[in-house]
Amino acid sequence: MPVPDVMFCAQQIHVPPELPDIMKQFTKAAIRTQPRDVLQWSYGYFYALSRGEPLPVKERVEMPIATQKNDTGLTPGLLKVLHKQLYQKKTVDLIDLHKKWKTLCLPAEQLRNLLHLDTFADGVEWMKFFALCCSALGGTLLSSMKHACEILTHDPEGGPARIPYVTFHFLYTYLASLDDEVTEEVSESFLKSLKEQAARKDYMVGTADFSTVKLMP
């Protein structure tokens, strides 16, 4: 019978030199993200880390935007994480979307409700789904577009939150087409006025531009 390995002293334990830094970064990420299910989130974190994928980590701690009695689950910070993870794929596999959604401990029912708002037969067109998520955060078309600008912008926090006009046009047109209260005439008139402003700003649109265009419903 072979003699079992016996640990005689602590010096025999090999600790990989990179482990302390990995655990330090993991702890900081958990504190910033505040996942509801730490074990579930941890699995997604280390899975993404092992594959060199964007990590499911918020940029900073986020204050709750809803009470416990009216908890939407999704937040701007979590949507920004999802966008970083999925936007490069353009069309996302439904299984992959479910995995990323679950890693962030978001309600499965909320994902089903969002997917029912459109027909995603051949995969999920990411920017359309992103727009639907913004509408879940915003409630109105105006506030939805503000969320979209603040999440997509490369401007520093508190800045004008500018995004390319073509991106704004796509998101706004898509959401307006799903809103029965927004007529095509109103939508076209708003975009025309906004485009004239964007032309003077290298075709960039920021949240402050909404206040000068009075045609948004």
Side-chain angles (χ1 to χ4, degrees):
M1 179 180 295
V3 178
D5 293 335
V6 179
M7 189 67 66
F8 293 102
C9 62
Q11 285 73 15
Q12 291 178 277
I13 302 175
H14 173 68
V15 178
E18 65 272 17
L19 183 59
D21 185 61
I22 289 175
M23 297 309 300
K24 180 180 180 180
Q25 297 305 320
F26 165 75
T27 303
K28 288 182 177 180
I31 292 172
R32 289 202 305 273
T33 306
Q34 298 285 305
R36 295 182 181 180
D37 187 332
V38 177
L39 291 178
Q40 181 172 286
W41 175 83
S42 299
Y43 169 80
Y45 177 93
F46 285 110
Y47 180 82
L49 183 65
S50 68
R51 295 168 63 91
E53 298 176 352
L55 300 175
V57 180
K58 290 182 182 179
E59 294 180 353
R60 59 188 62 83
V61 175
E62 189 175 28
M63 297 299 293
I65 62 172
T67 66
Q68 291 182 348
K69 293 183 179 180
N70 184 32
D71 193 347
T72 63
L74 189 66
T75 66
L78 292 175
L79 180 53
K80 191 167 188 176
V81 172
L82 282 171
H83 182 68
K84 287 182 177 180
Q85 292 180 313
L86 297 171
Y87 82 97
Q88 291 183 331
K89 297 183 179 181
K90 296 185 178 179
T91 300
V92 181
D93 184 81
L94 191 56
I95 294 177
D96 194 22
L97 177 57
H98 273 282
K99 286 181 179 179
K100 296 294 191 293
W101 192 270
K102 185 177 181 180
T103 293
L104 293 173
C105 310
L106 291 168
E109 182 179 1
Q110 186 178 27
L111 176 58
R112 288 194 296 268
N113 292 339
L114 288 169
L115 291 172
H116 285 160
L117 296 175
D118 200 343
T119 303
F120 297 107
D122 301 319
V124 180
E125 188 174 340
W126 172 249
M127 289 306 291
K128 286 186 176 181
F129 184 76
F130 173 83
L132 294 176
C133 289
C134 288
S135 69
L137 293 173
T140 67
L141 185 53
L142 174 59
S143 57
S144 299
M145 294 310 302
K146 284 185 176 180
H147 278 299
C149 288
E150 289 167 355
I151 292 170
L152 296 177
T153 189
H154 293 295
D155 291 331
E157 186 176 4
R162 297 164 300 175
I163 64 173
Y165 174 79
V166 291
T167 303
F168 184 97
H169 182 279
F170 175 84
L171 296 173
Y172 175 86
T173 302
Y174 175 67
L175 290 179
S177 70
L178 300 176
D179 191 334
D180 295 334
E181 298 182 0
V182 181
T183 66
E184 185 176 350
E185 181 181 5
V186 168
S187 179
E188 290 179 353
S189 180
F190 169 75
L191 289 172
K192 180 180 178 181
S193 297
L194 195 60
K195 186 176 182 179
E196 292 174 356
Q197 290 191 45
R200 300 191 294 269
K201 303 176 182 179
D202 298 324
Y203 288 96
M204 298 290 287
V205 177
T207 53
D209 298 319
F210 301 154
S211 61
T212 58
V213 179
K214 304 302 182 181
L215 299 174
M216 170 77 82

